[in-house]
Amino acid sequence: MITVKFGGTSLADAQHIRHAAEIIRSNPERRFVVVSAPGKRFSEDIKITDMLIRFQSSGAPRDFLPIEERFEEIIRELGITLDLSADYAEMRNEPHNADYMASCGEYLSARIMAAYLDWPFVDTEFCVFFDEKGRLDRRRTKQALQEKLGGLEHAVLPGYYGAMPDGQVHTFSRGGSDISGALVAAAMGADVYENWTDVDGMLTADPRIVSQAVTIPAITYAELQEMTYQGATVLHEDAVRPAWDAGIPIHICNTFHPEAAGTWIRSENVLHENPVTGVAGRKGFSIILIEKEKMNAMVGYVRKTLSCLEHHQVPFFREQ
């Protein structure tokens, strides 16, 4: 059984959604589908999620029509019968928090994909849960997903969001639909978690910087987690752990080049032809070197030093 997740670029318009649906239908083992909000159709376009965030902003003109027209165009071109007018009215008129508005793109995208596939729609608002501090409640989430999906042969779910204990919608960080897909795969005991994006897989380096970068055929969970933490953007760094814990292989695939081998992520060690798996980097990353005489004899010195980083909400990484 395969759980699949499609990113925003793969669902940017009706033609892309139609192509993604062909991929899903080409293998009957693809049973559970998690989708992102529609991404850019061309380089100057605006992602749906960014449009929703701008709409929510009090300093921006509150015009929901361009968002509504974008989805209605997709519905018309797909030739499906789907009335989302009540959803548009609620999103447009009711006072909502920022997370709710940011999640609407995934919700509408999933409604459309479910209608096009003629599969059940399952809202992750009622099966992905966070605690009072906004941390994922994995135990409760797994139980709820199993209850909601256990009796279904197929289902389409929106990624990126769930609910707080008080019922308010809460989102993962941007790109969090990858996490949603991994949670569904883990809960349902999938044999494979396919993550469909717009590249052939994990590359050895950023192709915008290194023109000779090539696809990594196989990589371990630990290597992938390290690369995503250091700036590789093919997969959200927090999507690794649910699949890792469940021992589910992740397969990075290209929606626009489905015949490509992609990149496989597994727990076992992978023998690489090259001694270096890949190279990644991120901005806003600094190394601090502290030297002080007899520092090793001062009790509490490290704690006091790191408390400065904690005060300014700076994550600390200790080199192994």
Side-chain angles (χ1 to χ4, degrees):
M1 188 271 284
I2 302 172
T3 293
V4 302
K5 179 264 175 180
F6 283 92
T9 306
S10 302
L11 306 169
D13 55 28
Q15 181 180 352
H16 288 75
I17 292 173
R18 194 177 290 113
H19 180 58
E22 290 175 359
I23 292 173
I24 295 167
R25 289 170 172 153
S26 68
N27 188 341
E29 294 180 349
R30 295 184 176 118
R31 293 177 49 198
F32 300 108
V33 178
V34 176
V35 299
S36 297
K40 291 185 177 183
R41 297 161 292 184
F42 44 87
S43 59
E44 296 81 17
D45 199 13
I46 303 174
K47 296 178 179 180
I48 282 290
T49 302
D50 290 328
M51 295 175 71
L52 288 161
I53 291 172
R54 290 185 184 184
F55 174 81
Q56 174 68 17
S57 172
S58 59
R62 295 180 62 83
D63 183 7
F64 195 81
L65 187 59
I67 300 170
E68 183 176 335
E69 289 177 341
R70 177 90 175 263
F71 283 105
E72 287 301 303
E73 179 183 9
I74 291 173
I75 291 171
R76 285 194 305 271
E77 293 186 3
L78 288 176
I80 57 178
T81 302
L82 180 63
D83 183 5
L84 297 175
S85 57
D87 295 303
Y88 298 146
E90 180 180 353
M91 296 169 187
R92 180 175 56 245
N93 300 323
E94 297 295 327
H96 299 295
N97 62 26
D99 279 14
Y100 171 87
M101 288 306 304
S103 74
C104 290
E106 272 74 12
Y107 170 84
L108 296 172
S109 180
R111 289 284 308 276
I112 290 172
M113 179 62 84
Y116 186 67
L117 290 171
D118 195 23
W119 285 10
F121 165 79
V122 176
D123 194 348
T124 46
E125 181 182 349
F126 306 105
C127 47
V128 173
F129 299 105
F130 300 85
D131 65 16
E132 292 82 359
K133 295 183 178 181
R135 298 172 301 195
L136 177 67
D137 187 337
R138 287 183 59 183
R139 182 194 59 79
R140 188 182 175 199
T141 294
K142 181 177 181 179
Q143 181 179 355
L145 285 169
Q146 290 173 338
E147 291 175 355
K148 292 285 186 180
L149 303 178
L152 299 176
E153 184 67 22
H154 302 95
V156 178
L157 303 90
Y160 186 42
Y161 69 90
M164 296 287 284
D166 62 359
Q168 289 284 324
V169 169
H170 184 69
T171 63
F172 293 107
S173 57
R174 289 296 290 266
S177 291
D178 291 341
I179 308 172
S180 304
L183 291 171
V184 172
M188 302 313 296
D191 297 297
V192 178
Y193 169 35
E194 290 182 346
N195 194 290
W196 292 82
T197 181
D198 56 355
V199 294
D200 283 347
M202 293 286 298
L203 299 180
T204 51
D206 188 334
R208 295 169 297 184
I209 301 173
V210 181
S211 60
Q212 301 91 342
V214 296
T215 303
I216 303 171
I219 190 172
T220 65
Y221 294 119
E223 289 172 324
L224 175 69
Q225 190 173 52
E226 184 67 19
M227 288 190 68
T228 54
Y229 177 77
Q230 296 293 345
T233 58
V234 173
L235 190 72
H236 194 291
E237 63 184 275
D238 292 334
V240 179
R241 180 51 63 179
W244 190 349
D245 289 345
I248 299 172
I250 302 173
H251 192 194
I252 307 296
C253 307
N254 190 343
T255 306
F256 311 107
H257 188 197
E259 64 276 12
T263 297
W264 283 93
I265 302 104
R266 299 185 176 93
S267 58
E268 64 266 22
N269 290 329
V270 177
L271 295 177
H272 300 286
E273 294 182 1
N274 299 312
V276 177
T277 302
V279 178
R282 64 188 303 176
K283 296 179 180 179
F285 191 96
S286 301
I287 297 175
I288 302 174
L289 176 62
I290 300 175
E291 293 186 12
K292 187 178 188 302
E293 186 178 357
K294 296 184 179 181
M295 183 171 62
N296 61 333
M298 298 178 64
V299 177
Y301 185 85
V302 173
R303 175 182 55 78
K304 293 176 182 178
T305 303
L306 294 182
S307 68
C308 298
L309 300 180
E310 180 183 8
H311 176 73
H312 293 283
Q313 296 293 298
V314 178
F316 167 69
F317 172 75
R318 179 178 180 274
E319 186 175 352
Q320 300 299 314

